[in-house]
Amino acid sequence: MNEDAHISIVGLPASGKTTYLAALWHMVREPGANTNLHFTSLKTSNYEHLNTLAKLWRSGKIQQRTQTSGLRTVIMTLGNAEGREVEISFPDIPGEDFSDMWEKREVDESVRKTLSARDIVLIVNGDTIKLPAWVAERNKMTQDAGLPIIDNEPVDWSPNFSPTQVKLVALLQFLMSETLNVGPRRVAILISAWDKVEGEQLSPTEIMSTKLPLLFQYLQSGRDPWDWEVWGVSAQGGDYEDPEKDQHFAVTDALRDLDRPSDRIKIVRDAAVTSDITLPLAWLMK
Ligand SMILES: Nc1nc2c(ncn2[C@@H]2O[C@H](COP(=O)(O)OP(=O)(O)OP(=O)(O)O)[C@@H](O)[C@H]2O)c(=O)[nH]1
Ligand SMILES: [Mg+2]
């Protein structure tokens, strides 16, 4: 195996990492599914854990938050038609560890190892992008709407209040830093929950340039030598129900009614739409 072919999946809390894994695991094993990459072997983790994730995904239930570290890192090997293989790590760390890295400037040994894989999939939840908010702008909107401006108590600033794109750029800069010293790298940016943003009729690149302009400009300027590409990814096809809240959505029913669960998946790159969830991984292998 080409020892360079190693991909890590990273993303902030609730960005969609576990959901992507669940859908990927289902799809690379679904009989008759037509994917660029096929399943070869599991290096770490057990089938039972992955099957539980995929079962939840098929039944239209959201995944539990990834709580603890160190128990269930998944390392999966996928292969392409030319017989090349790639090792993909889904580090078993909650998204908070990625935020902490930036907020506290701390990175523990297992995370460091994960981040040293040359190729990265960075998942960004398109539905929960935290935009920069200006108090003056908010006050003007309130005023324009004819509402009284309420003087709220000042709140102490915390790094956690920062816009999503600030955290992501800091994360990518860290990945390029001398601390890791990996050299030129490739990153596939997946804007997840694409079903929630596709109504805006913008391409994934356009969503990135309008909602995450700092991230877009950082990558486009070539300040750090990233080879990058953006996809819109709907790993669910729509909202799933939270089993803890006893929810029932018509949209989830419609998704469950599809003949093949993989038909829920949508992978968008420019104008091209497919259900092959392995495409961004195949691009990273090129
Ligand atoms: N509508 C929609 N929601 C999605 C999609 N993918 C993920 N989500 C939602 O995004 C939320 C977070 O998904 P997870 O997969 O648990 O995210 P995570 O990155 O593993 O989160 P942590 O483990 O907590 O860091 C859940 O509520 C998902 O249902 C999608 O394709 N469509
Ligand atoms: Mg998770």
Side-chain angles (χ1 to χ4, degrees):
M1 187 171 86
N2 173 358
E3 62 177 354
D4 280 337
H6 193 150
I7 300 171
S8 274
I9 315 286
V10 304
L12 296 174
S15 51
K17 301 179 291 295
T18 305
T19 308
Y20 182 80
L21 170 60
L24 176 69
W25 182 244
H26 170 87
M27 197 158 181
V28 293
R29 297 165 58 82
E30 185 183 78
N34 196 4
T35 53
N36 229 274
L37 304 182
H38 55 265
F39 174 67
T40 312
S41 65
L42 258 191
K43 197 165 159 193
T44 314
S45 180
N46 56 38
Y47 284 81
E48 201 184 326
H49 168 56
L50 283 168
N51 290 342
T52 306
L53 300 184
K55 199 167 153 197
L56 269 178
W57 177 81
R58 277 192 297 272
S59 64
K61 305 286 181 211
I62 63 167
Q63 303 290 333
Q64 302 297 319
R65 300 276 335 267
T66 305
Q67 305 275 7
T68 44
S69 299
L71 294 168
R72 286 184 171 150
T73 290
V74 173
I75 302 181
M76 194 191 289
T77 305
L78 300 181
N80 68 10
E82 291 96 56
R84 276 191 62 210
E85 293 190 346
V86 64
E87 220 176 77
I88 303 161
S89 315
F90 290 80
D92 175 36
I93 44 182
E96 276 78 6
D97 282 15
F98 293 112
S99 313
D100 280 2
M101 221 169 61
W102 174 63
E103 288 172 26
K104 301 180 191 147
R105 304 274 157 184
E106 282 172 6
V107 49
D108 77 34
E109 208 32 55
S110 66
V111 178
R112 178 193 298 263
K113 207 159 158 240
T114 294
L115 299 181
S116 299
R118 192 195 64 191
D119 299 325
I120 297 286
V121 170
L122 174 64
I123 307 191
V124 185
N125 192 324
D127 191 31
T128 56
I129 294 171
K130 206 193 282 175
L131 300 167
W134 304 103
V135 176
E137 213 167 82
R138 210 182 293 156
N139 284 351
K140 175 148 191 335
M141 277 160 66
T142 310
Q143 224 167 13
D144 289 351
L147 300 168
I149 292 172
I150 302 158
D151 253 339
N152 287 322
E153 283 287 303
V155 179
D156 282 340
W157 186 79
S158 141
N160 190 35
F161 296 156
S162 297
T164 306
Q165 56 174 356
V166 172
K167 296 183 184 179
L168 296 176
V169 169
L171 178 59
L172 290 181
Q173 282 179 332
F174 179 77
L175 289 171
M176 277 294 183
S177 70
E178 281 167 13
T179 321
L180 298 175
N181 198 16
V182 178
R185 311 179 77 170
R186 229 174 295 182
V187 60
I189 301 193
L190 309 190
I191 301 180
S192 69
W194 187 252
D195 48 283
K196 305 292 268 190
V197 284
E198 65 188 347
E200 299 183 32
Q201 309 278 338
L202 297 172
S203 71
T205 312
E206 286 164 342
I207 287 282
M208 183 158 131
S209 65
T210 50
K211 296 199 173 184
L212 301 160
L214 178 72
L215 176 64
F216 183 70
Q217 287 163 32
Y218 162 73
L219 288 168
Q220 222 187 18
S221 72
R223 181 187 170 276
D224 286 330
W226 286 107
D227 186 2
W228 61 283
E229 187 57 63
V230 199
W231 280 267
V233 172
S234 178
Q236 293 181 176
D239 283 331
Y240 278 12
E241 294 145 358
D242 184 343
E244 285 180 7
K245 292 189 187 147
D246 201 23
Q247 289 169 331
H248 195 112
F249 300 144
V251 52
T252 326
D253 273 339
L255 291 167
R256 277 188 288 255
D257 283 346
L258 292 172
D259 282 345
R260 290 182 317 171
S262 58
D263 290 339
R264 302 171 189 185
I265 302 171
K266 236 186 199 182
I267 306 293
V268 182
R269 184 179 174 186
D270 299 326
V273 183
T274 75
S275 65
D276 183 358
I277 199 163
T278 70
L279 276 184
L281 306 170
W283 175 78
L284 285 172
M285 274 176 87
K286 290 233 169 79

